[in-house]
Amino acid sequence: MNRLVDKLAILTICMMSLFMSDSFSEPVIVTLVTIALSSAAQLLTGKLIACVIIMGCSLLCGAFPLFFCTVPLMLYDALWEKKWWLVLPASLVIFRLDTLSAGQIMITAAAIVVTIIVYNRISGLEETVEKLTQLRDEVAGKNRQLSEQNMRLAQAQDNEIHLATLRERNRIAREIHDNVGHMLTRSLLQSGAILVINKDEQLREPLESLRSTLDSAMTSIRESVHDLHDDSIDLKKVIEESISTVDSRFTVSLDCDVTGNMPGNVKLCIIGVVKEGLSNAVKHSNGDRIFIVIREHPAFYQLMLEDNGSCSEIKESGIGLKNMQDRAAALSGRISFTPSPEGFRIFMSVPK
């Protein structure tokens, strides 16, 4: 838009020079031809045909001196092509300079100076805008990188906090098991021994009540320890540790997408099936890749373990397969085994 406005201003100055001619029709024709050629040059900016148009219009000055009055407009187009020398053929007008008035020559010369000034201003402005746009894009890119980096750092921090929490839960569960659990067990044994050797019937009921209380406390402690231990299981980390022990001839890929709210018994079931599946693949598969996918859906958990070894049949009586079926059945889940020439697949789903 800036270029169009500038060309209109330059054309206005050129027309002042053109209409100083004695003829009326010639300035109109020259103006229309120049506008058409300049518009074409602008539309074709950057192409060879634009340079040809500018040079052709400049050559017209030798045959039709009145075209010299429009040289500023063609110079403006040539400057945008970075080839100002395209208007040099207009110098042929020197051989017919007597056909132009002094006023026309002076106005044209002034228009040429104005054209150069306007071009320098506009080109400088566009360069500044381009630099600012580039700077804005770079800043946006840096901000995006920083945002991604901050997200990764926050995720890493969350993982560290999660692992620290799991370690602390393990420590608490171990402390309760080793200290409080052992003391309660000893107290239960002592109360049982006292009940056996007690001869006083009046003390029997209080002693039985004490034993019952200790037994309830022991059950509660045991459940709490189990809950702490189950919550502290990091499913992905345990499976990755199991993968690290697989024979080096296998390439194992894990895709685990679950939340941290998975019950401990489900985690143990999935871990058990994965370990058994990996063991079977190492023993019986002739493939070299194993794929493990664990997904959490709104109503159920899903496990798929597959290798690319050929397998035409399976022995349903295998202890490993029976163990996996029992694990799934214990949680009201379903498990299937699919042998094929392309590989062996284990598919399990456990309802929430």
Side-chain angles (χ1 to χ4, degrees), residues 140-160:
K142 294 292 184 182
N143 286 337
R144 186 166 55 252
Q145 291 177 358
L146 286 173
S147 177
E148 293 174 356
Q149 187 175 2
N150 287 336
M151 189 179 300
R152 287 194 297 270
L153 289 173
Q155 186 175 3
Q157 186 178 27
D158 291 342
N159 290 337
E160 287 294 327

Side-chain angles (χ1 to χ4, degrees), residues 5-36 38 66-74 100-101 103-112 115:
V5 172
D6 292 341
K7 290 181 76 171
L8 286 174
I10 294 170
L11 179 62
T12 301
I13 300 175
C14 293
M15 289 177 65
M16 292 171 57
S17 175
L18 283 169
F19 284 98
M20 291 179 68
S21 175
D22 295 334
S23 173
F24 176 77
S25 59
E26 286 184 11
V28 174
I29 295 172
V30 170
T31 300
L32 294 176
V33 171
T34 303
I35 291 174
S38 180
L66 201 57
F67 272 97
F68 179 71
C69 298
T70 64
V71 164
L73 193 61
M74 302 313 296
L100 298 174
S101 66
Q104 287 176 313
I105 295 172
M106 291 177 63
I107 292 175
T108 301
I112 290 173
T115 299

Side-chain angles (χ1 to χ4, degrees), residues 253-298:
S253 63
L254 172 63
D255 183 2
C256 182
D257 184 15
V258 295
T259 64
N261 300 322
M262 182 183 290
N265 56 350
V266 178
K267 292 180 184 178
L268 293 174
C269 175
I270 292 176
I271 291 170
V273 172
V274 168
K275 287 183 176 180
E276 190 66 43
L278 291 174
S279 176
N280 287 346
V282 171
K283 291 178 182 178
H284 306 296
S285 175
N286 59 356
D288 59 359
R289 290 189 65 85
I290 300 175
F291 308 91
I292 304 173
V293 179
I294 303 172
R295 288 279 185 273
E296 179 177 356
H297 299 281

Side-chain angles (χ1 to χ4, degrees), residues 43-72:
L43 289 173
L44 300 169
T45 297
K47 298 181 179 179
L48 179 61
I49 187 65
C51 299
V52 173
I53 291 172
I54 296 170
M55 183 169 284
C57 190
S58 301
L59 286 170
L60 289 174
C61 295
F64 305 99
L66 201 57
F67 272 97
F68 179 71
C69 298
T70 64
V71 164

Side-chain angles (χ1 to χ4, degrees), residues 88-145:
L88 287 179
S91 61
L92 294 173
V93 76
I94 196 170
F95 297 108
R96 300 186 62 182
L97 204 58
D98 56 333
T99 59
L100 298 174
S101 66
Q104 287 176 313
I105 295 172
M106 291 177 63
I107 292 175
T108 301
I112 290 173
V113 175
V114 170
T115 299
I116 295 172
I117 294 172
V118 169
Y119 168 76
N120 288 332
R121 180 183 65 84
I122 294 300
S123 62
L125 179 62
E126 292 201 354
E127 286 178 4
T128 302
V129 171
E130 185 178 352
K131 289 180 180 178
L132 289 174
T133 302
Q134 185 178 359
L135 181 61
R136 181 199 62 190
D137 294 341
E138 289 178 357
V139 170
K142 294 292 184 182
N143 286 337
R144 186 166 55 252
Q145 291 177 358

Side-chain angles (χ1 to χ4, degrees), residues 228-243:
L228 282 173
H229 176 68
D230 291 346
D231 289 342
S232 66
I233 298 173
D234 188 332
L235 178 66
K236 186 175 181 181
K237 184 177 180 182
V238 173
I239 292 178
E240 287 175 346
E241 290 175 353
S242 300
I243 290 172

